[in-house]
Amino acid sequence: MSVPPTILVFDSGLGGLTVLREIVRARPDAHYVYVADDAFFPYGHHGEDQIIARVVPLIGELIAAHRPDLVVIACNTASTLVMSHLRERYEVPFVGTVPAIKPACAGSTTRRVSVLGTRGTVKREYTRALIRDFAQGCEVTLVGSADLAALAEAALSGEDVSDDLIAAELAPCFVGAGASTAMRTDTIVLACTHYPLLMDRLVKLAPWPVAWIDPAPAIARRVADLLKGPGRRADHAGAEIVFTSRKPHTLSEALMPFFGGRIPA
Ligand code: DGL
């Protein structure tokens, strides 16, 4: 029987757990290393050159330390910049996370779609090109949020995050208030992996119902395709979580569901 593959999932913080959760469902047998670059969080507040200079060598160190079979960059703010640099530099296969503009626009009935991401992601040429290529005639509103990723981390850590703070970040996504239903935003792309951590709150605070597009299931399918083989064997090595700040973490039990019930070491 072959050895279970090691999959390294990387994000600036805990948002990539929403991608990890789907990958674990697709490949429950794999060994997982989740890396949160919390020493540099939030990426949305850094310039493009700074992110490239930070992430590219860091991924090299992580590959040397953990020898993964595949690396997932579970962060839009980084993926929209670093994927070509990583693929040029390292041999391991990479899967990135970029705004799901194509499926969102394909599914929108009102032809009004909003993309909610970090300020960095919505400014990227990569994101603008996705809109040029795949908007399919939809009116796409880009909404750069300064604080929603940090609010999602706070909520996951058990802190009280008020509805007002979340609703304020969300409000610009809803275009057409007062207009008929046919003229309003009906689809929102979650272009930051942190945001699905707040899914229940987003649904509750939305001024009207919309389709929320989370790319995590599609990323998990891509990972499963690249890894070949059904991989049914249980992974006895468990899962690991690494924080680049090296601060001790106390969240193991809260994070278990994202790791398919395993307690990350
Ligand atoms: N989770 C990251 C993303 O998908 C961003 C959060 C941050 O600003 O670091 O874009």
Side-chain angles (χ1 to χ4, degrees):
M1 212 181 280
S2 62
V3 179
T6 293
I7 303 175
L8 191 145
V9 179
F10 177 88
D11 181 33
S12 58
L14 297 174
L17 291 172
T18 63
V19 178
L20 174 83
R21 175 172 58 195
E22 295 299 327
I23 301 172
V24 170
R25 280 188 191 135
R27 285 300 299 246
D29 62 306
H31 173 84
Y32 288 93
V33 181
Y34 183 86
V35 181
D37 187 14
D38 63 333
F40 208 61
F41 178 85
Y43 279 13
H45 291 193
H46 294 294
E48 300 196 348
D49 291 346
Q50 286 173 302
I51 292 174
I52 295 168
R54 169 77 182 178
V55 174
V56 177
L58 176 57
I59 293 293
E61 287 166 32
L62 293 168
I63 291 171
H66 300 282
R67 302 266 157 225
D69 296 282
L70 187 143
V71 175
V72 180
I73 306 298
C75 175
N76 294 259
T77 314
S79 296
T80 47
L81 286 174
V82 302
M83 298 313 293
S84 58
H85 298 274
L86 294 175
R87 290 188 175 115
E88 257 164 43
R89 192 93 160 247
Y90 310 114
E91 303 238 306
V92 59
F94 288 96
V95 176
T97 309
V98 297
I101 288 165
K102 188 178 180 182
C105 290
S108 169
T109 308
T110 65
R111 320 303 291 148
R112 282 168 177 77
V113 171
S114 291
V115 177
L116 179 62
T118 64
R119 287 189 170 165
T121 296
V122 302
K123 267 195 269 168
R124 301 270 186 269
E125 173 48 29
Y126 191 104
T127 305
R128 309 273 160 146
L130 286 176
I131 294 171
R132 281 196 301 274
D133 294 344
F134 300 117
Q136 300 154 70
C138 288
E139 185 183 301
V140 178
T141 302
L142 287 167
V143 179
S145 165
D147 296 322
L148 202 51
L151 294 176
E153 295 243 339
L156 184 63
S157 307
E159 285 173 41
D160 239 345
V161 175
S162 78
D163 281 352
D164 288 353
L165 285 176
I166 297 172
E169 301 280 329
L170 210 52
C173 294
F174 288 83
V175 178
S180 70
T181 313
M183 302 295 285
R184 292 170 173 178
T185 305
D186 70 351
T187 305
I188 298 180
V189 178
L190 296 171
C192 170
T193 53
H194 278 73
Y195 303 163
L197 292 172
L198 293 169
M199 206 57 237
D200 294 351
R201 311 275 303 270
L202 301 182
V203 170
K204 185 184 97 178
L205 295 168
W208 59 80
V210 291
W212 302 90
I213 309 296
D214 175 3
I219 294 165
R221 285 195 295 277
R222 176 81 188 127
V223 169
D225 283 351
L226 286 172
L227 280 177
K228 308 197 171 63
R232 290 271 161 249
R233 198 175 101 159
D235 171 25
H236 299 296
E240 298 164 60
I241 186 161
V242 176
F243 290 90
T244 55
S245 67
R246 294 172 197 271
K247 72 167 187 238
H249 75 97
T250 49
L251 281 171
S252 291
E253 298 225 347
L255 302 187
M256 265 174 67
F258 296 99
F259 286 87
R262 287 173 255 198
I263 298 186

